[in-house]
Amino acid sequence: MHAKVRDYDDITSFLGDFGRFQTAIWALMAVSAIPPGFMALSMVFLAYVPEHHCKPSMNFTGNTAGLGNETEECVDGWVFSTERYSATIVSEWNLVCENAWKVPFSISTYYIGVLIGSFISGQLSDRFGRKPVFFWAMAIMTISALIQAASVSWVMFCVINCVRGVAQISNYITSLVLASEILSQSARVTFSMLGHSLFFAIGYACLPLFAYLIQGWRMLLVVSAIPGLLYIPVWWVIPESPRWLLQRGRVADAERVIRNAAKKNRVPTPEVIFTPDEGEEEQQTYNVLDLVRTTNMRNITILNVFLWAAITMVFYGLSLNTSNMRGNAYLNSFFSAAIDIVASVAVWLLINQGVATHNPPLHLYVPSLTPFCVSSDMPVMSQVFALLGKLGVSGAYSSIYLIATELFPTVVRNMGLGVASTAARVGSIISPYVVYLGVYSKILPYIVFGAISLIAAAVSFLLPDTTNSKLPDHISQVKPIRGLSPQGLRKDNTHETNAALCFQVAV
């Protein structure tokens, strides 16, 4: 039974790599990554802490005479500066002093939602299809942003923030899986780097621009919801994944998708594309335990869980930490997004041109040097080295999605990415609290992030080569990790996708 879709890429090769059909899928799915990119780091501005002081008052909470350094409670509230922002959730609900803990908690509620969405979206997508989960997540993401903009309390804001996180990651991961399973191997690599990751970064780059123009947290949320409304007609353009349809025994539906693609590409089709045996429904029902049932599958899952947690913690940590950096918050955020754009293009060039190496020891020192650089008295150099660390982890963040897609087989691909992304959200939930250490010392967040980067760079060497590989469809096709088989020990002088990951994590 496992042979039935093993040659899927060969069977559909008559479609070509970049016809009108693939170009439309590539473009539409890439653009769909802009709203998740915009929303993912929006809390940088939604939860920004403006300069503030107590409202003048003649009322005191008690006799403070002779108490030295004792401070007086602001009984009449606070006055917040509107120099940069007309309103944030901090000024809306006075999240300072004894309520200051609510700021990192507000950010973490979003990532708690992302954690939940990472876990459930994979199972829903593997069971009900990639397309319905993608569009339902887009709809929930849009509606929740509009409801959140009308929040009447901090608790309501946090609850909806969690829901928005669930929808955002469900939409983002499913879009990658859906496009990867429709596109050919060469188009898939280009999409992951120059489509999915790059447009996510473009969405992030749009965030500081709109935040600067709007300067109010409610309207910023409304703006973030608009792209989702524009995507309603796309339902009739994006098809279901033919690979998933075959796995569910829906041969006629899968063939209909391929024939429609051939018609758009203006290429002839074979009389028979898929035989009934190739679509025979699997006797086994896959669940999350299948991710650890075999040695190869278990090793791949464990490595991805750790690397996703580490990379995501550093990626979001350095992105959120722009508020602690010296200089203008809008420019810092934009530069951080620009770094993500450069990283996506750079990683694609490394992979496409075959210049990625297997030997990045020089770059392993960069994370450990960064903390000392940012602690200097030179603001410009501090920002340069902080953004250099961001460049490395951004490249790793864009690479890990491609590599995981090519490592997990079709039968558990979305589930595997969901579990890995769930682990990643543990890192992203922790990241605001690591950033919060900057209140005590601006060097501390970079020390933590640098150490984690070093460990992740070393671990990433164990990942098997996925360059020019066909997508595995069954668990039996999963590759062993390096060092556990003769194939893993073989010296390979060709360029490798995971070598780029090692390079980027190390930076």
Side-chain angles (χ1 to χ4, degrees):
M1 288 226 181
H2 288 336
K4 63 190 176 189
V5 291
R6 188 171 301 172
D7 299 323
Y8 175 88
D9 288 326
D10 294 333
I11 294 173
T12 59
S13 60
F14 66 89
L15 290 175
D17 287 335
F18 265 110
R20 293 173 61 189
F21 172 76
Q22 291 96 332
T23 301
I25 296 296
W26 195 101
L28 289 172
M29 299 306 289
V31 173
S32 75
I34 292 180
F38 190 98
M39 288 188 177
L41 279 307
S42 60
M43 289 299 290
V44 169
F45 298 102
L46 299 178
Y48 180 81
V49 182
E51 293 291 331
H52 56 280
H53 59 82
C54 289
K55 288 183 178 179
S57 173
M58 296 303 294
N59 299 318
F60 294 90
T61 59
N63 183 10
T64 59
L67 295 182
N69 292 329
E70 291 282 341
T71 58
E72 171 189 328
E73 181 183 349
C74 291
V75 293
D76 292 327
W78 295 265
V79 175
F80 292 90
S81 170
T82 57
E83 181 181 357
R84 288 187 176 177
Y85 309 94
S86 60
T88 70
I89 65 169
V90 175
S91 60
E92 185 83 17
W93 293 300
N94 296 325
L95 307 183
V96 293
C97 295
E98 68 272 12
N99 290 320
W101 63 272
K102 292 182 178 180
V103 176
F105 182 83
S106 301
I107 300 173
S108 289
T109 57
Y110 179 83
Y111 295 117
I112 290 172
V114 174
L115 185 151
I116 297 171
S118 298
F119 186 75
I120 65 173
S121 64
Q123 299 182 63
L124 291 174
S125 178
D126 284 340
R127 181 172 182 179
F128 298 107
R130 316 323 194 188
K131 179 179 176 178
V133 172
F134 169 76
F135 280 99
W136 272 109
M138 177 76 79
I140 296 172
M141 183 171 63
T142 301
I143 295 171
S144 62
L146 293 174
I147 296 176
Q148 191 177 22
S151 296
V152 296
S153 68
W154 175 74
V155 173
M156 177 180 175
F157 178 91
C158 289
V159 171
I160 304 301
N161 209 33
C162 183
V163 174
R164 188 164 60 94
V166 172
Q168 185 265 350
I169 196 62
S170 299
N171 175 264
Y172 186 63
I173 291 181
T174 307
S175 68
L176 173 63
V177 174
L178 177 57
S180 297
E181 292 182 350
I182 292 176
L183 299 173
S184 64
Q185 191 276 334
S186 60
R188 182 172 67 243
V189 174
T190 305
F191 171 78
S192 181
M193 296 287 98
L194 296 186
H196 202 245
S197 297
L198 180 60
F199 279 79
F200 180 91
I202 291 174
Y204 178 22
C206 292
L207 173 63
L209 172 62
F210 282 96
Y212 174 77
L213 295 175
I214 297 172
Q215 297 190 357
W217 69 272
R218 294 184 187 272
M219 189 53 64
L220 188 61
L221 282 169
V222 172
V223 169
S224 71
I226 294 176
L229 299 175
L230 300 177
Y231 247 70
I232 295 176
V234 180
W235 170 270
W236 289 274
V237 180
I238 302 293
E240 180 57 271
S241 163
R243 289 178 181 268
W244 180 84
L245 290 171
L246 287 174
Q247 290 298 325
R248 305 301 293 183
R250 296 166 57 179
V251 179
D253 291 336
E255 188 155 321
R256 190 177 301 111
V257 172
I258 299 302
R259 291 191 181 279
N260 182 52
K263 182 180 180 180
K264 291 181 178 179
N265 286 354
R266 299 175 182 175
V267 297
T269 59
E271 185 176 345
V272 177
I273 300 177
F274 302 113
T275 65
D277 288 342
E278 286 167 334
E280 184 179 344
E281 190 168 359
E282 292 282 344
Q283 298 298 314
Q284 180 179 358
T285 300
Y286 292 91
N287 56 54
V288 69
L289 295 179
D290 288 294
L291 294 174
V292 294
R293 199 174 300 280
T294 67
T295 299
N296 289 343
M297 190 74 262
R298 181 167 55 251
N299 290 337
I300 291 299
T301 300
I302 292 173
L303 285 179
N304 272 277
V305 163
F306 172 76
L307 288 172
W308 279 62
I311 292 170
T312 306
M313 177 181 176
V314 178
F315 175 81
Y316 281 103
L318 291 180
S319 298
L320 293 170
N321 200 48
T322 54
S323 60
N324 282 333
M325 292 173 61
R326 300 176 178 89
N328 185 283
Y330 298 110
L331 288 178
N332 288 341
S333 184
F334 178 79
F335 290 148
S336 179
I339 288 294
D340 292 350
I341 294 174
V342 172
S344 296
V345 176
V347 172
W348 176 77
L349 289 174
L350 285 172
I351 295 173
N352 192 54
Q353 299 299 320
V355 297
T357 67
H358 217 37
N359 184 29
L362 177 63
H363 309 92
L364 293 175
Y365 293 98
V366 177
S368 59
L369 290 176
T370 300
F372 299 99
C373 296
V374 298
S375 64
S376 67
D377 294 327
M378 298 179 291
V380 175
M381 291 303 297
S382 297
Q383 290 177 319
V384 167
F385 279 101
L387 293 176
L388 177 61
K390 182 62 164 52
L391 172 64
V393 76
S394 297
Y397 190 75
S398 61
S399 300
I400 195 65
Y401 278 92
L402 169 64
I403 295 171
T405 300
E406 295 182 334
L407 288 175
F408 286 107
T410 300
V411 292
V412 292
R413 179 170 296 116
N414 218 141
M415 193 184 303
L417 263 70
V419 169
S421 185
T422 300
R425 303 320 139 191
V426 175
S428 60
I429 290 171
I430 296 172
S431 64
Y433 294 96
V434 178
V435 171
Y436 191 68
L437 295 176
V439 173
Y440 306 100
S441 172
K442 292 186 180 295
I443 190 177
L444 288 180
Y446 294 103
I447 292 177
V448 175
F449 295 141
I452 292 174
S453 298
L454 284 170
I455 298 172
V459 171
S460 63
F461 277 110
L462 296 174
L463 291 175
D465 176 22
T466 59
T467 303
N468 297 325
S469 299
K470 295 180 179 179
L471 286 180
D473 288 309
H474 301 283
I475 292 178
S476 60
Q477 297 172 318
V478 175
K479 294 185 177 183
I481 65 173
R482 295 183 181 278
L484 295 186
S485 68
Q487 292 79 7
L489 294 172
R490 185 184 72 245
K491 182 177 179 64
D492 189 351
N493 291 321
T494 61
H495 70 285
E496 297 177 344
T497 305
N498 66 291
L501 173 65
C502 298
F503 169 83
Q504 299 300 335
V505 175
V507 175

